[in-house]
Amino acid sequence: MAIETKERRTVEEEPQREPQLGAHLVMQALVREGVEVIFGYPGGAILPVYDALPSYPIHHVLVRHEQSAAFAADGYARATGKVGVCMATSGPGATNLVTGIANAMMDSIPIVAITGQVPQSVIGMDAFQETDITGITLPITKYNMVIRSVEEIGPAIQKAFYLARSGRPGPVLIDIPKDVQLAKGYLAPRQELHLPGYRPTIVPHRRQIRRAAELIRQAERPLILAGHGIIISGATEELVRFAERTQIPVGLTLLGISGFPASHPLCLGMVGMHGLAHANRAIHEADLIIGIGMRFDDRVTGRPSEFAPHAKIIHIDIDPAEIGKVLKTEVPVVGDAREALRLLLEELEPLEHDDWLSAIRSWYRPIRTEPSGPDGALQPQYVIARLHALTEGKAIVTTDVGQHQMWTAQLYRCDIPKQWISSGGLGAMGFGVPSAMGAAIGRPDAEVWAVVGDGGVQMTLNEFATLVDEQLNVKVAIINNGYLGMVRQWQQLFHNRNYSETPISSPDYVLLGQAYRMAARRVTRPAEVDDAINWARSFRGPALIEFVVNQEENVFPMIPSGGSFRDMIDDYRIEGEW
């Protein structure tokens, strides 16, 4: 990885005797915020900032498409816990960031997007490459702003980073007209921020904690549903202690994966539409649901009126807008997940739920991982199971969106926080490879696997060039079934096998990888799987493996959209009542 090792300097140590261009003040403000990496793509309206960039100790990663810059900043933030930064020019450069910004908003990821803008004198005149990017991104940012003068640069960037990382994290966009970048001035010193309308509650109210504790004592069949908030708040240790003290099993949302160790006896694995059968049945039979750092989205609840029909709800979340939005909540607890768990640990004595845990264990059914399917075709579940075994479950894994994502969520059992990176709320195809780039930049000593489908990877093939340029230790595992697999599965199950526009062709991935100067192999038989994975792991740097798998393999279990646990379909019992 080509990160320069310039000696870091703080802006405060270098008093400015002469006024400097706004572009230099932007870079100085970013250095002051601790920024080490920017993912971006230059263009005319942001060119002064790029002109200043080489003078500062920030590594710039030149992506091949601005959407990948936003996705990479997202992956960097998830893997490191820091704020990810992406940068683009005005017009198409800025609009190409939109999908990645929306993804960060839906999944509560702290990123700061910096865009160039046409000079203020021509804003509103339909100038070349002018778009109202703050207007466009208003619904998908936590905050956005236009910097109108050089004096605003320091305060605006300080505010942007504070808002991105505090409370419920999210994306912030800063739009900087070109005339501001070229104006001269001084960087305003850091000041204490006063934002009267923004006061996130970190420590929950003790009364609500005591009410929650009393419900937990009374419950016979309690269940914890842990979400992304556990990872964001760094609450894994507290969650483990809480679950062990109370002997309450833990189900994980898609983004909650890695927030509680998969190998822990109390971990039930993923819940929801493609969650494990015993975990979903536990929700159906529970008399108390404790949702922590999750928002009860539709992929978890299915039909809300039939979700956990026997249970009262305790909902712990830092965002009060999420509480009661989907389900009636018996005890709302507004605050940081880690702080809430610490207070609950103070209130609760050891509890036992042996009969409940035994019942859940009796419902357990493993996901099938046979090597071969019909006609000896390689099974995708086997590939993921072997990837987990050979990496010992220690790699950072990113995914695109689709069947491969669900198989990986089910079978790559994560014990380490921040090792699972996937697009949840937005469900954005094309996320896997660029988010792996960001993770690898942020954690250069880690082994990173991007597990992608043949649909999603074709949206970001151009980033193979970035992997090679940066010599990132990213291994790309393409699960190639010749279909847009998840859509095809729905067509099979709910649209009479009318495979309308879901068969998809692919390039020769081995030749393509080689064209990008990337080591590449193809696997078609189970006997080749271990050797290929071990080959990719035997050297640092990018590698590509195409796994040609059974074309019509489906992801089970599955609860149809808008259905309930009783509508669950799986490969043991295709349909019917429990």
Side-chain angles (χ1 to χ4, degrees):
M1 184 172 61
I3 292 182
E4 299 178 25
T5 56
K6 302 176 185 176
E7 184 178 350
R8 180 164 293 280
R9 54 188 182 178
T10 65
V11 175
E12 287 82 0
E13 291 171 352
E14 299 180 5
Q16 296 172 347
R17 297 178 180 176
E18 299 292 334
Q20 294 183 289
L21 291 177
H24 280 268
L25 302 185
V26 169
M27 295 306 303
Q28 291 167 21
L30 293 175
V31 170
R32 190 167 69 181
E33 293 297 328
V35 175
E36 297 174 325
V37 180
I38 295 174
F39 304 90
Y41 203 92
I46 196 69
L47 200 54
V49 172
Y50 272 91
D51 188 55
L53 176 63
S55 301
Y56 296 89
I58 293 178
H59 176 61
H60 183 272
V61 178
L62 178 63
V63 297
R64 297 319 193 254
H65 191 286
E66 292 91 349
Q67 177 176 287
S68 295
F71 281 156
D74 182 310
Y76 175 91
R78 297 192 204 216
T80 65
K82 302 175 183 178
V83 177
V85 181
C86 56
M87 189 158 67
T89 192
S90 63
T95 57
N96 280 345
L97 294 175
V98 167
T99 299
I101 293 171
N103 191 76
M105 185 68 175
M106 293 287 285
D107 288 354
S108 303
I109 307 301
I111 71 170
V112 170
I114 299 170
T115 53
Q117 185 54 275
V118 299
Q120 294 181 84
S121 60
V122 295
I123 288 178
M125 306 290 287
D126 293 329
F128 177 66
Q129 292 192 334
E130 178 193 357
T131 57
D132 178 10
I133 194 61
T134 53
I136 290 169
T137 59
L138 184 63
I140 56 167
T141 50
K142 188 174 177 182
Y143 186 77
N144 68 25
M145 68 191 89
V146 181
I147 296 181
R148 297 290 185 181
S149 69
V150 71
E151 292 79 17
E152 296 177 12
I153 289 173
I157 289 176
Q158 179 186 351
K159 181 179 180 181
F161 277 79
Y162 172 73
L163 290 172
R165 65 166 69 96
S166 62
R168 180 179 180 174
V172 176
L173 182 135
I174 307 171
D175 199 35
I176 313 177
K178 193 169 184 178
D179 58 303
V180 175
Q181 300 171 46
L182 293 173
K184 286 190 174 183
Y186 298 92
L187 184 66
R190 289 178 63 87
Q191 297 180 350
E192 184 176 351
L193 290 172
H194 296 283
L195 305 175
Y198 179 72
R199 295 178 179 175
T201 300
I202 305 302
V203 180
H205 197 289
R206 178 72 75 165
R207 180 183 61 191
Q208 297 303 94
I209 291 291
R210 288 173 179 157
R211 288 183 61 202
E214 188 56 35
L215 272 188
I216 292 167
R217 288 190 192 96
Q218 296 170 5
E220 296 180 359
R221 301 183 305 280
L223 176 66
I224 297 166
L225 294 184
H228 195 200
I230 295 294
I231 299 165
I232 293 170
S233 66
T236 294
E237 181 181 342
E238 287 77 9
L239 179 57
V240 169
R241 288 170 54 207
F242 176 70
E244 289 177 347
R245 179 175 298 180
T246 58
Q247 286 296 290
I248 299 177
V250 180
L252 301 172
T253 69
L254 176 67
L255 294 186
I257 292 171
S258 84
F260 189 83
S263 61
H264 196 286
L266 291 170
C267 186
L268 304 184
M270 185 174 69
V271 303
M273 176 176 280
H274 292 290
L276 305 183
H278 67 292
N280 282 336
R281 185 168 183 181
I283 292 174
H284 189 76
E285 302 292 345
D287 63 1
L288 178 67
I289 298 291
I290 309 165
I292 310 176
M294 51 88 67
R295 56 189 178 87
F296 291 105
D297 73 283
D298 60 289
R299 285 302 193 258
V300 168
T301 64
R303 190 180 306 129
S305 62
E306 296 189 28
F307 176 81
H310 315 294
K312 295 179 179 178
I313 306 291
I314 297 170
H315 192 178
I316 301 170
D317 201 282
I318 200 166
D319 185 355
E322 293 296 347
I323 296 178
K325 185 173 77 174
V326 177
L327 301 172
K328 178 184 176 183
T329 302
E330 189 77 15
V331 179
V333 180
V334 178
D336 177 76
R338 188 177 186 183
E339 295 297 328
L341 286 166
R342 285 175 172 174
L343 292 175
L344 281 170
L345 283 164
E346 293 177 8
E347 294 288 337
L348 284 164
E349 65 281 358
L351 303 173
E352 293 184 359
H353 299 101
D354 293 343
D355 292 344
W356 172 230
L357 293 171
S358 295
I360 295 173
R361 281 192 290 269
S362 73
W363 303 330
Y364 176 72
R365 297 169 177 172
I367 300 295
R368 290 179 169 174
T369 57
E370 290 88 351
S372 299
D375 303 319
L378 176 62
Q379 289 292 82
Q381 299 96 322
Y382 178 73
V383 173
I384 305 303
R386 295 310 300 159
L387 178 63
H388 178 269
L390 293 172
T391 61
E392 299 178 331
K394 295 178 180 178
I396 294 176
V397 176
T398 75
T399 74
D400 269 346
V401 170
Q403 288 181 311
H404 68 280
Q405 177 191 31
M406 295 297 105
W407 286 316
T408 310
Q410 292 172 341
L411 294 166
Y412 199 95
R413 296 171 55 79
C414 297
D415 282 345
I416 306 166
K418 299 188 181 77
Q419 72 172 129
W420 167 256
I421 296 173
S422 195
S423 173
L426 192 66
M429 291 176 66
F431 179 77
V433 170
S435 63
M437 288 163 28
I441 288 279
R443 292 170 60 181
D445 296 331
E447 177 180 356
V448 181
W449 282 81
V451 181
V452 296
D454 50 322
V457 76
Q458 292 192 68
M459 295 183 175
T460 49
L461 291 174
N462 42 7
E463 299 308 333
F464 289 173
T466 312
L467 293 178
V468 172
D469 282 357
E470 296 288 332
Q471 277 302 292
L472 299 178
N473 193 34
V474 172
K475 318 301 179 182
V476 181
I478 302 174
I479 308 300
N480 185 358
N481 59 10
Y483 281 103
L484 301 177
M486 187 61 84
V487 184
R488 183 213 56 77
Q489 177 170 332
W490 282 49
Q491 289 173 331
Q492 176 188 335
L493 297 176
F494 309 117
H495 296 276
N496 299 315
R497 292 182 181 268
N498 179 19
Y499 294 165
S500 173
E501 300 304 319
T502 46
I504 186 170
S505 64
S506 289
D508 185 317
Y509 289 112
V510 174
L511 291 178
L512 184 70
Q514 292 170 352
Y516 277 105
R517 302 184 304 281
M518 192 158 109
R521 290 178 67 167
R522 178 178 295 110
V523 171
T524 59
R525 298 183 297 114
E528 302 167 342
V529 171
D530 283 18
D531 183 60
I533 293 172
N534 286 328
W535 161 78
R537 301 185 70 226
S538 68
F539 58 89
R540 286 194 61 83
L544 181 155
I545 308 174
E546 176 192 9
F547 294 97
V548 181
V549 300
N550 176 20
Q551 284 197 297
E552 295 197 31
E553 185 63 19
N554 289 330
V555 181
F556 293 118
M558 179 181 184
I559 297 175
S561 180
S564 71
F565 168 75
R566 291 188 176 278
D567 303 312
M568 187 179 74
I569 307 168
D570 67 28
D571 55 351
Y572 290 91
R573 176 198 51 80
I574 295 304
E575 56 187 88
E577 296 290 332
W578 279 91

